[in-house]
């Protein structure tokens, strides 16, 4: 793991690594207490402390976040020999203006009616800590 000299430098490096990876594993705690991970596509990588994802409001991950909002988001970029782990608190909620800002046409593969897809919502993960290896 590289040792940054400042917090700002560390934040810039995490942002760079997260941007490259784009796809991550979001880990939540299942209702039975076990850890559950699934791949997710990151919608915003300006690591200002928040990571954003689109989801369906009735999905298992959203139900799990409502019960236990503590999550982990892990990014892997083996091509560049880099990995990032972000632990934080997730919350679900839909804000049309935020959704419009984050929307990418590629998302229609999962949300066929775009931002008007019934049940679409946003997950925001506010980072409490991040570690990286490169």
């Amino acid at each position: 793991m590289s040792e940054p000299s400042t917090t700002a430098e560390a934040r810039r490096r995490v942002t760079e690594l997260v941007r490259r990876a784009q796809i991550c594993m979001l880990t939540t705690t299942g209702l039975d207490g076990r850890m559950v991970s699934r791949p997710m596509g990151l919608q915003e990588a300006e690591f200002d402390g928040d990571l954003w994802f689109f989801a369906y409001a009735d999905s298992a991950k959203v139900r799990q976040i409502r019960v236990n909002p503590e999550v982990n988001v892990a990014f892997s970029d083996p091509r560049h020999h880099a990995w990032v782990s972000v632990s934080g608190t997730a919350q679900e909620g839909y804000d049309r203006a935020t959704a419009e800002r984050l929307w990418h046409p590629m998302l229609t593969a999962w949300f066929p009616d775009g931002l008007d897809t019934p049940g679409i919502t946003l997950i925001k993960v506010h980072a409490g800590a991040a570690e990286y290896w490169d």
Side-chain angles (χ1 to χ4, degrees):
M1 179 165 75
S2 302
E3 292 295 325
S5 59
T6 67
T7 301
E9 185 180 308
R11 187 175 297 236
R12 276 191 301 275
R13 186 66 180 139
V14 167
T15 298
E16 178 185 326
L17 296 173
V18 166
R19 258 194 215 128
R20 278 191 201 157
Q22 284 295 301
I23 302 297
C24 62
M25 295 296 284
L26 172 65
T27 302
T28 57
T29 302
L31 302 179
D32 60 0
R34 67 186 174 88
M35 305 301 285
V36 182
S37 299
R38 80 277 293 151
M40 299 287 288
L42 180 67
Q43 299 313 309
E44 186 169 87
E46 279 303 322
F47 197 68
D48 61 356
D50 295 330
L51 303 171
W52 292 90
F53 306 94
F54 281 93
Y56 281 98
D58 64 352
S59 65
K61 66 184 146 287
V62 170
R63 288 193 303 274
Q64 292 162 356
I65 287 167
R66 288 176 183 151
V67 173
N68 183 351
E70 297 303 312
V71 300
N72 185 267
V73 184
F75 296 87
S76 175
D77 184 4
R79 206 175 58 192
H80 295 98
H81 306 286
W83 297 266
V84 179
S85 176
V86 177
S87 59
T89 305
Q91 66 182 49
E92 175 264 335
Y94 189 75
D95 174 70
R96 180 73 183 212
T98 302
E100 287 174 356
R101 180 174 56 84
L102 298 173
W103 184 258
H104 188 281
M106 188 172 65
L107 290 166
T108 56
W110 294 276
F111 306 100
D113 294 329
L115 294 176
D116 295 319
T117 300
I120 194 171
T121 193
L122 290 168
I123 296 172
K124 177 175 82 171
V125 175
H126 181 71
E131 297 182 55
Y132 67 91
W133 299 265
D134 64 347

